[in-house]
Amino acid sequence: MGPHITSSPVRRIVGVHFFHSENSPRNALGCDNSEVSPTKGIAVLQSIAASAEAPAELPASGPGPLDLHLLAEGKHQRLWEVLGAHPGADASGRPGVSFTLWAPRAHEVAVAGQVTGGRAPVPLRRIGTTDYWTVFVPGAEAGQRYRFELLGADGVRRAKADPCARSAPLPPGPDSVVHASDHRWGDREWMIRRAAADPRRRPLSVYEVHLGSWRPGLSYRQLAVELTAYVREQGFTHVELLPVMEHPYGGSWGYQVTGFYAPSSRFGSPDDFRYLVDSLHRAGIGVILDWVPAHFPRDDFALGRFDGHPLYEHPDPRRGEHPDWGTLVFDYGRPEVANFLIANALYWCEEFHVDGLRVDAVASMLYLDYSRPHGQWEPNQEGGRENLEAVAFLRSLNEAVHGRFPGVLTIAEESTTWPGVTAPLRDGGLGFDFKWNLGWMHDTLDYFQQDPVYREHHHHGITFSTTYAWTENFVLPLSHDEVVHGKGSLRSRMPGDEAAQLANVRAMFGLMWALPGKNLLFMGGENGDQGEWSEAYGLQWPGPEEAGRLGVRQLVSSLNRAYRDTPALWAQDPVPEGFQWLDADDAGHNVYAFLRRAPDGTPLVCVANLSGATWDSLRIGLPRPGRWHVLLDTDPTTARPTSLRATATPHHGQPWSAELYLPALSTCWLVPA
């Protein structure tokens, strides 16, 4: 039995407005109506019409016919406006909340909790013969808790959290919270600028943050003040937040998501999180979220076996269970599941104005044999190891995000050599804007862990990444994964005493910020933290007496400001014309020298001496005559002159050159004066 369908032509169709382009009619859902199967759509509408005998007291407050049409096709890009809990009024004007749920094989569905006013659970009714259930509960209101109680196809009753809940209490469990936003955004100028920018040719320097341990105890609104001020002072262009979606176990750092549509209530309400994003935007700082479509935990109240059988997870355990993490894997080939995830990505962009999504564990999605021994995975229909459904999902994800939100970034954490991760969809690529360069990260940290005495034998560890730097659009990440699980901090991995460790960190940062690719640094790295990061204890903030650690922080601030002001360091990242080695082979001195160029030809020369010895007068080739200025120096005690003059002495393939004083374990940047 479904909702009462009146003969009136006026009916609520959630979230739909139409517009036209020169080429084809598209609606605000981003769906080309020609792509929706008319046969399946007509069947849905006939199903609704067949349910017209439903009692009149059940208002038409759930999905409208077009919504159900798009849901059936897995093409509803504003899913959160249809499913879940929505405060409003029924046809007679009574206030309350409508509840709608996807549960194809459930025998019974009811809503329980505070929303029923102390009464028994209120049954939902199936909409015709569709897979959706709905009910309007008069008197229910925002702020109240609710949960769904399902009698599954297996005969078991379960209490489940709303998959599309926009808020959840702590600790997460079967309860969800009805939410209605009243936030008023103040970031219009930011959003306009973002839509007009090409992120590949703009500066991108990212501060990766775990909100719960940056300064423990702060709320979203307190972070809006303190984190915003700190990131602005440090000069980063963006923050990247470890997952803020609701999760039951803090030690997962947010990567075990149970509430994909709910910002964690650990730090406040959804509107409090909006306030944080808004504050960062008004300070000129972008916000990237870690987003986890690769897997989800097995908690009984969450998505697993939602209606008594696998629903969100793939039914074949060889594809639906992750052997490394003990989690469940989404069924990317099921249209409704792909719709749930793609709409979720769009939700964070639409409702929270986020500027990017860093997609976690992409490699685990792309390969059917990921972490699976022989015999425990099944080839695809073409006999290969590629997960073709996941590939199609990722391509659809990027098409939807970039189509709806120009300027929003998608970034892949992808650790293999899968071709075309950042290639355009039209060229057969996956369509991401950027990919984390994990090869660069491993090679760089391996090199810097070596005692300088032995570095000449590892010289290629710094140069190798430039042999493939333009195969993808890369981010160079020194992320949270590199300061956990016994790896120590960045500083503690460096050889030597405290002074040598800090000098190595500074030299590494100077090299990293100058290489082709965007930059990402996990919180604490800028402070020269000695100990490994722990989400339970927070960062080890340096005191005023710790001049060496404070010096690292000051350097990072200087790096970011010089980087942002120097187009040679970012405007030609996507093309090899923006980079040239001057000397990639001086293993004996542990010296690296290279050239970066802006589109107008303006050069920057980076020289790094990564040995334990100082070189008094090492000649470096330069592309221009006249005076050159030392724009940045990672050695705060250097006696290096602040400027030098190029002479007409060819060197390193350049027509001019100069002799440089190169302190041990230091990097400097030179620009024409």
Side-chain angles (χ1 to χ4, degrees), residues 385-403:
R385 57 196 284 255
E386 299 81 11
N387 188 332
L388 301 179
E389 290 86 355
V391 171
F393 162 75
L394 291 170
R395 287 171 53 84
S396 296
L397 166 72
N398 285 312
E399 181 180 34
V401 170
H402 294 137

Side-chain angles (χ1 to χ4, degrees), residues 99-152:
F99 298 89
T100 306
L101 183 70
W102 178 52
R105 288 184 282 190
H107 294 322
E108 298 174 6
V109 178
V111 63
Q114 293 174 336
V115 295
T116 68
R119 298 184 298 276
V122 176
L124 279 71
R125 299 186 181 182
R126 192 183 290 272
I127 304 175
T129 59
T130 74
D131 295 335
Y132 296 89
W133 303 70
T134 193
V135 72
F136 181 86
V137 180
E141 59 187 24
Q144 291 182 326
R145 296 189 180 194
Y146 69 99
R147 62 184 176 274
F148 289 120
E149 297 183 352
L150 288 79
L151 175 61

Side-chain angles (χ1 to χ4, degrees), residues 284-523:
I285 300 162
V287 180
I288 300 167
L289 299 186
D290 270 16
W291 186 61
V292 191
H295 64 119
F296 59 93
R298 296 174 180 266
D299 299 71
D300 290 340
F301 66 85
L303 298 180
R305 297 185 66 86
F306 192 82
D307 59 359
H309 286 282
L311 183 62
Y312 289 89
E313 67 270 37
H314 198 285
D316 185 341
R318 293 173 297 178
R319 298 182 62 176
E321 298 180 4
H322 200 292
D324 287 349
W325 305 319
T327 51
L328 299 173
V329 179
F330 285 104
D331 185 356
Y332 305 107
R334 184 162 191 166
E336 298 92 341
V337 175
N339 194 164
F340 172 82
L341 290 170
I342 291 172
N344 182 247
L346 300 175
Y347 167 78
W348 291 99
C349 299
E350 173 81 23
E351 294 289 330
F352 295 93
H353 288 200
V354 302
D355 307 290
L357 298 169
R358 178 268 195 183
V359 183
D360 181 63
V362 169
S364 75
M365 302 169 65
L366 291 174
Y367 298 97
L368 295 169
D369 62 345
Y370 186 90
S371 287
R372 299 179 189 276
H374 180 72
Q376 295 187 19
W377 64 279
E378 185 179 31
N380 61 38
Q381 59 265 38
E382 298 175 1
R385 57 196 284 255
E386 299 81 11
N387 188 332
L388 301 179
E389 290 86 355
V391 171
F393 162 75
L394 291 170
R395 287 171 53 84
S396 296
L397 166 72
N398 285 312
E399 181 180 34
V401 170
H402 294 137
R404 285 276 303 280
F405 301 101
V408 169
L409 308 175
T410 58
I411 305 168
E413 185 208 20
E414 203 286 308
S415 56
T416 75
T417 57
W418 185 281
V421 173
T422 60
L425 298 176
R426 63 178 178 274
D427 296 334
L430 295 183
F432 285 93
D433 293 291
F434 295 103
K435 167 180 169 173
W436 275 19
N437 192 339
L438 298 173
W440 169 88
M441 178 273 297
H442 285 296
D443 289 345
T444 298
L445 291 178
D446 181 69
Y447 177 91
F448 274 93
Q449 286 175 200
Q450 306 299 324
D451 189 290
V453 172
Y454 305 112
R455 284 180 177 171
E456 65 178 295
H457 305 297
H458 301 268
H459 197 73
H460 69 283
I462 298 299
T463 62
F464 181 65
S465 66
T466 60
T467 66
Y468 61 87
W470 298 279
T471 59
E472 302 279 4
N473 298 317
F474 283 119
V475 172
L476 309 183
L478 293 175
S479 74
H480 65 282
D481 282 328
E482 307 319 312
V483 293
V484 292
H485 302 320
K487 296 175 184 176
S489 66
L490 295 179
R491 171 187 159 189
S492 69
R493 296 164 76 160
M494 303 296 174
D497 59 15
E498 178 181 354
Q501 288 180 332
L502 294 173
N504 271 294
V505 169
R506 294 193 303 268
M508 179 176 67
F509 288 168
L511 189 64
M512 170 183 174
W513 259 254
L515 283 168
K518 312 308 183 184
N519 310 301
L520 178 142
L521 181 65
F522 183 58
M523 64 183 199

